[in-house]
């Protein structure tokens, strides 16, 4: 289900009748908002009076339902998620894996809800899922379909088993993202999510596959995490330039949204650089990423860009490059 500006406005009017709150949250210029409201009134979908905007019965029927996640709902979702994923496979550096902390994962869902992207009936595509976001998303009750594309067969088997046992709307595909998505999945989804490897090749590979999964036209959405631990602002600039050459807009970059659990080989990898400060284990999660959100514009068409040449996992910024070079 795509949320065009009109549909987003109708969904917003399910939550509030305050016209000023609507104006602040509608994400369209005020003159455009007034024009949209007048059009909706003429079509019998919205009713207005001084200081108040309400949906008519026809408008309520038309308005998409979005999932709201307050602190109590998130706490309950977190408990259910932790019960389901207790036996998850360990992260492996063979695929550059690292798990978001559960607090960061819940925070990612909260951001999706805040932007109005947890829409009942939406179709999600996840490019790599060692965080098991697919399970958490399914527990919100919003998605009609979640497709996971993951190379690690341990994870695909684990997710598929959970989905079957708990009747979750998840389909799992063991897939190497260096290859194009199967034809039936291109242009088939409303939202994609990924945590890309942060070489120039890896960033375009993951995000490009995500874009190829989105349906044509405006209102589709992508979320992905990018760090300043294995990237720098030059990589960010290059990625932004590549994206904005297409009909998409970067609507948000949320700094330090995602923290990652410390992994078993972290200290060994840090010691390989030979600096005395990094000879004791970290006491708390320190590896962090910004959450980027993009939205497609009119004229968007999914395509399958070729990744840049080079290793899609390791480059000069790779955290473990010193230990990798010693092997």
């Amino acid at each position: 289900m795509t949320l065009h500006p009109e549909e987003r406005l109708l969904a917003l009017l399910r939550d509030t009748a305050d016209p000023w709150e609507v104006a602040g949250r509608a994400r369209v210029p005020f003159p455009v908002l007034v024009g949209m409201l007048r059009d909706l009134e003429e079509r019998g979908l919205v009713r207005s009076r001084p200081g108040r905007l309400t949906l008519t019965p026809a408008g309520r029927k038309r308005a998409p339902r979005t999932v709201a996640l307050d602190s109590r709902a998130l706490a309950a979702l977190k408990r259910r998620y932790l019960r389901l994923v207790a036996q998850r496979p360990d992260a492996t550096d063979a695929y550059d894996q690292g798990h978001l902390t559960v607090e960061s994962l819940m925070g990612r869902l909260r951001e999706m809800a805040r932007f109005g992207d947890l829409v009942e009936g939406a179709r999600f595509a996840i490019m790599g899922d060692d965080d098991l976001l697919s399970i958490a998303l399914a527990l919100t009750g919003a998605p009609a379909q979640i497709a996971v594309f993951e190379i690690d067969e341990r994870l695909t088997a684990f997710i598929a088993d959970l989905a079957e046992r708990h009747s979750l709307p998840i389909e799992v595909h063991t897939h190497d993202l260096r290859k194009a998505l199967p034809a039936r999945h291109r242009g088939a989804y409303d939202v994609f999510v990924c945590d890309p490897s942060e070489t120039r090749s890896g960033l375009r590979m993951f995000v490009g596959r995500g874009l190829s999964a989105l349906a044509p036209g405006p209102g589709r959405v992508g979320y992905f995490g990018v760090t300043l631990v294995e990237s720098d602002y030059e990589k960010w600039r290059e990625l932004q330039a590549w994206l904005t050459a297409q009909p998409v807009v970067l609507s948000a970059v949320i700094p330090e949204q995602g923290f990652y659990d410390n992994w078993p080989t972290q200290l060994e990898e840090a010691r390989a650089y030979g600096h005395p400060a990094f000879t004791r284990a970290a006491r708390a999660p320190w590896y962090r990423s910004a959450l980027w959100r993009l939205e497609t514009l009119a004229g968007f068409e999914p395509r399958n860009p070729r990744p840049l040449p080079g290793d899609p996992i390791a480059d000069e910024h790779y955290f473990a490059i010193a230990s990798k070079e010693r092997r």
Side-chain angles (χ1 to χ4, degrees):
M1 172 181 287
T2 307
L3 283 182
H4 295 282
E6 179 180 289
E7 292 166 319
R8 288 188 183 277
L9 179 54
L10 290 170
L12 179 55
L13 288 168
R14 279 188 176 274
D15 295 338
T16 180
D18 182 342
W20 297 108
E21 180 71 6
V22 170
R25 292 169 57 189
R27 303 210 300 271
V28 297
F30 189 81
V32 175
L33 171 65
V34 171
M36 292 172 65
L37 288 171
R38 286 175 175 156
D39 178 61
L40 292 171
E41 289 175 66
E42 290 174 4
R43 290 156 54 193
L45 300 176
V46 172
R47 187 178 296 119
S48 66
R49 60 180 181 176
R52 190 169 179 81
L53 290 166
T54 55
L55 294 171
T56 65
R60 187 162 291 276
K61 185 176 181 180
R62 167 78 186 275
R65 294 181 178 273
T66 57
V67 172
L69 292 176
D70 59 18
S71 57
R72 181 176 296 181
L74 270 178
L77 193 153
K78 176 182 174 181
R79 288 193 295 270
R80 293 180 64 198
Y81 172 82
L82 288 173
R83 284 198 301 269
L84 290 187
V85 306
Q87 303 301 318
R88 70 189 302 168
D90 292 333
T92 171
D93 61 0
Y95 300 119
D96 194 29
Q97 291 174 353
H99 297 159
L100 280 169
T101 65
V102 67
E103 290 79 13
S104 294
L105 190 70
M106 296 299 114
R108 187 165 289 189
L109 294 179
R110 184 175 57 244
E111 294 298 336
M112 292 179 183
R114 182 168 69 89
F115 279 103
D117 297 325
L118 290 182
V119 184
E120 290 185 2
R123 303 160 299 173
F124 283 75
I126 302 180
M127 306 295 135
D129 195 23
D130 53 296
D131 298 312
L132 302 181
L133 175 65
S134 59
I135 305 301
L137 267 174
L139 293 177
T140 70
Q145 179 187 8
I146 303 169
V148 174
F149 302 92
E150 167 61 56
I151 193 172
D152 187 342
E153 294 182 358
R154 302 173 310 148
L155 283 170
T156 56
F158 183 75
I159 296 168
D161 177 64
L162 283 179
E164 182 178 1
R165 287 195 287 118
H166 297 278
S167 300
L168 303 176
I170 302 172
E171 58 180 72
V172 185
H173 306 276
T174 303
H175 184 77
D176 184 341
L177 290 169
R178 287 173 293 188
K179 301 176 182 177
L181 299 183
R184 74 181 181 89
H185 295 287
R186 295 176 213 161
Y189 299 92
D190 304 303
V191 183
F192 82 80
V193 188
C194 68
D195 275 283
S197 298
E198 295 191 23
T199 65
R200 289 168 172 82
S201 178
L203 286 165
R204 288 201 189 183
M205 180 180 78
F206 277 85
V207 177
R209 294 297 177 238
L211 287 170
S212 76
L214 295 182
R220 271 73 183 191
V221 173
Y223 286 94
F224 49 98
V226 188
T227 77
L228 286 169
V229 179
E230 296 191 313
S231 290
D232 57 16
Y233 282 132
E234 182 62 26
K235 275 190 192 175
W236 281 35
R237 185 195 66 81
E238 290 176 10
L239 180 60
Q240 290 168 358
W242 175 69
L243 286 169
T244 55
Q246 307 172 57
V248 305
V249 61
L250 286 170
S251 60
V253 176
I254 304 165
E256 299 192 358
Q257 186 281 320
F259 281 74
Y260 294 77
D261 289 325
N262 293 328
W263 56 96
T265 58
Q266 183 181 109
L267 185 57
E268 174 190 347
E269 291 160 359
R271 281 174 170 169
Y273 288 88
H275 193 287
F278 297 101
T279 54
R280 293 184 179 179
R283 299 178 197 172
W286 63 276
Y287 189 98
R288 64 201 70 187
S289 67
L291 181 64
W292 294 31
R293 180 187 184 273
L294 65 79
E295 189 167 327
T296 63
L297 304 175
F300 172 78
E301 291 287 339
R303 58 177 182 164
N304 262 308
R306 294 181 179 177
L308 293 173
D311 189 336
I313 295 179
D315 68 1
E316 71 278 7
H317 293 142
Y318 182 51
F319 173 76
I321 192 66
S323 60
K324 185 175 181 179
E325 289 173 346
R326 293 197 313 179
R327 292 171 190 168

